[in-house]
Structure formats: C-alpha cells, structure tokens
Amino acid sequence: MSLPSALSDSTLAKILARVPVSLAEDRALTSPMSPTPVGQIRVWRGDGPVVKVVNVSLVVPAIGLDSHMIFAFTAPDSGVPHFTLDSVANGENYAFHLDLIPRIDLATSLSYLDEVYEPLTTVFTATRSRDGLSPAHLAPRQYALMSPWMLVNRATEAAFRSIDDAVDAYFTHWASLVETGIKAEGTATRDAAHRELLFSPEIDPVWKQTVRLLGEEQSESVRKQLVSN
C-alpha cells in the first residue's frame, strides 16, 4: 500500500469509528485511459452531527497519480467545521492538504477562532516548519475558502512519513468538536454557497484534470457528491 493510501485509509477508519454514518454508495471510477477502474468513490450518510463522508481515490500508475481525498461534512446548521484530508503522490513527489473548514465568518468571531482553531496553532506551526515540506501552490481564491490553519504542502517522502501526528491531532480535535458541539451555529445557506465555490471548476484547476481522466459525466458526479448533502 502506498503512503498516501495508508494515511487516507487510517484516517478514514478513525472517522468511521467515531461518527454514526452508513455506507450509501461504493462505485468504481473508470477512464478511457485504462481498461480497468482508475479509482473509487465511497459515500457514507448519517443523521447525526456528521451528515456525509466522501472518500475519492484515483490511482493511475501509468501517469504516476496516487490521490486520496476525504471530506467529512457536518450538518448544514452546525458550526462545527468540515474535516478534510487530501494525500497525494506523483512519482516520488508527495503532497497533502489538511484542514477544518470554517462554517462562519472568522473575521467577526474571536470566540469561534479561540474554540475551534487556536488549539491547533501549536501543531500547525510545528508541522509547517518541518524539513522536507514546502508550500503548495494554491491561488489566493483557494486560500480564501479555507482556514488560516490549513496545512497544504508538498513533501519529500521522509517529510510525508512525519505528518501522521499532525493529521491525528487535527482529526482528534475535530472529532471532539463533533461530539461536544460548539457554541456557534452555521447556516444551510452559507454552507451551500461555500461548497459551490469550494468545489467550483472555475476556482480549483483540479477539476479540469479530473474531467480529462474520468470524462465530463463521471467528474461531475463526483463533484456533485461534494457540493451538496
């Protein structure tokens, strides 16, 4: 098993062990580039604090692609952030993206910052300064849709092997917020508008690559699973 796959699988197992969701879809993803499936999308749904978990894996050795993405979405009216982990290898190059996606305007709520994000500051600061990590190249519009505590880096193999503790710290904190709840509330309107932008092909160039790999129809089916519950 590859390093990105192992990190994704272990994190997904922790999520599924902590939140009450049931598998609703398990579908292979195909491509004109390969006679065999190039990936898989799995969707879990729940009626508790976490309403949807989406896991998308794309593995194409011929082009060096090994990508595994997890999104765990909290309820539309919840203030608890969505959890996301993206772990990727392209040949000998590694990358990851780890964040708790805010559900309210951070600039107007110090109490939300202190409750949800400040506990991550120590691990955020320590992780981003590690040898072997370098900033990934995201556009300012992409940064604006995430949290300032987002860890999004390219990594050497050795550095990628070292991020398990950061992923576990973010997950453990998020799971605690899910279980205890927080004082702030989100809104369905804001969540829908945010996710439309977060997974917009106009903002994230990854969707053009996904269309080339999976075709327009399959790529759009994956995107729609992320946009709404």
Side-chain angles (χ1 to χ4, degrees):
M1 181 180 292
S2 69
L3 292 177
S5 178
L7 179 61
S8 180
D9 285 359
S10 64
T11 305
L12 180 62
K14 292 175 185 175
I15 293 172
L16 298 179
R18 291 284 288 268
V19 303
V21 292
S22 300
L23 185 64
E25 180 177 345
D26 184 348
R27 176 164 54 96
L29 298 172
T30 59
S31 171
M33 299 175 59
S34 171
T36 58
V38 295
Q40 180 184 32
I41 178 171
R42 291 181 290 174
V43 179
W44 292 260
R45 296 183 187 280
D47 54 11
V50 175
V51 297
K52 192 175 193 180
V53 178
V54 180
N55 172 224
V56 180
S57 294
L58 295 171
V59 180
V60 189
I63 59 174
L65 176 64
D66 187 359
S67 173
H68 306 269
M69 179 184 69
I70 300 170
F71 270 90
F73 297 104
T74 54
D77 61 351
S78 172
V80 178
H82 302 314
F83 175 89
T84 182
L85 169 68
D86 199 5
S87 54
V88 180
N90 194 324
E92 297 181 354
N93 301 310
Y94 293 81
F96 70 95
H97 155 210
L98 173 67
D99 199 14
L100 306 187
I101 301 173
R103 302 296 304 281
I104 68 172
D105 182 3
L106 298 182
T108 59
S109 182
L110 180 61
S111 61
Y112 189 83
L113 285 173
D114 287 344
E115 182 178 18
V116 175
Y117 290 103
E118 188 58 24
L120 298 174
T121 297
T122 299
V123 66
F124 168 77
T125 303
T127 302
R128 70 190 310 216
S129 63
R130 288 179 182 171
D131 290 342
L133 295 184
S134 57
H137 298 300
L138 269 65
R141 292 198 299 180
Q142 291 174 278
Y143 278 109
L145 299 172
M146 309 301 285
S147 90
W149 281 261
M150 174 175 63
L151 288 166
V152 54
N153 293 91
R154 296 177 176 177
T156 62
E157 179 178 339
F160 191 89
R161 289 181 182 276
S162 78
I163 65 169
D164 288 27
D165 61 340
V167 175
D168 190 59
Y170 272 57
F171 163 73
T172 300
H173 177 58
W174 174 78
S176 175
L177 295 175
V178 168
E179 291 168 357
T180 62
I182 64 173
K183 297 173 184 175
E185 294 182 352
T187 68
T189 300
R190 182 191 184 280
D191 189 45
H194 188 188
R195 284 163 66 173
E196 281 285 353
L197 294 178
L198 193 61
F199 304 110
S200 168
E202 294 183 17
I203 294 176
D204 191 343
V206 75
W207 291 109
K208 292 181 180 178
Q209 301 170 21
T210 306
V211 168
R212 284 198 293 270
L213 178 63
L214 301 178
E216 184 72 39
E217 184 176 348
Q218 274 194 116
S219 177
E220 186 64 7
S221 73
V222 171
R223 195 183 72 83
K224 285 184 175 178
Q225 285 288 4
L226 297 164
V227 168
S228 67
N229 293 325

